[in-house]
Amino acid sequence: MQFGLPGAWLALLAPANTNKAVIDKLYAAMAEAVNDPKVRTLFVEQGAEPLVLDPEELRDFMASESAKWAAIIGKIGIEPM
């Protein structure tokens, strides 16, 4: 899944094993806030492109990003600190 995100992104995360009802409530509130025209305008004015991913899409995106960057880091030989 490609979202066209070149570098920086923000996410709202919860601890592992958080109740799905809580996750759903947090997601709904976050989506409502990000989709509010005033909030969207604030993001856009700062050069951001607001994009709301549901919890499963975010999980998949984060896994993809982790794999992508692990491969890049390994390829160029960066050693863990």
Side-chain angles (χ1 to χ4, degrees), residues 5-79:
L5 302 174
W9 47 272
L10 301 172
L12 176 62
L13 304 176
N17 303 315
T18 299
N19 183 288
K20 184 173 177 346
V22 173
I23 297 295
D24 292 344
K25 188 171 183 176
L26 287 171
Y27 168 71
M30 183 273 310
E32 180 180 354
V34 172
N35 288 319
D36 179 278
K38 290 180 182 179
V39 174
R40 290 190 79 75
T41 297
L42 291 172
F43 275 110
V44 171
E45 286 174 349
Q46 296 178 52
E49 293 183 39
L51 177 65
V52 177
L53 304 179
D54 68 36
E56 292 76 22
E57 289 172 325
L58 179 59
R59 179 200 60 222
D60 294 346
F61 173 73
M62 291 177 66
S64 172
E65 285 291 283
S66 294
K68 176 179 82 176
W69 287 106
I72 291 169
I73 290 166
K75 185 173 184 176
I76 61 177
I78 296 175
E79 296 293 325

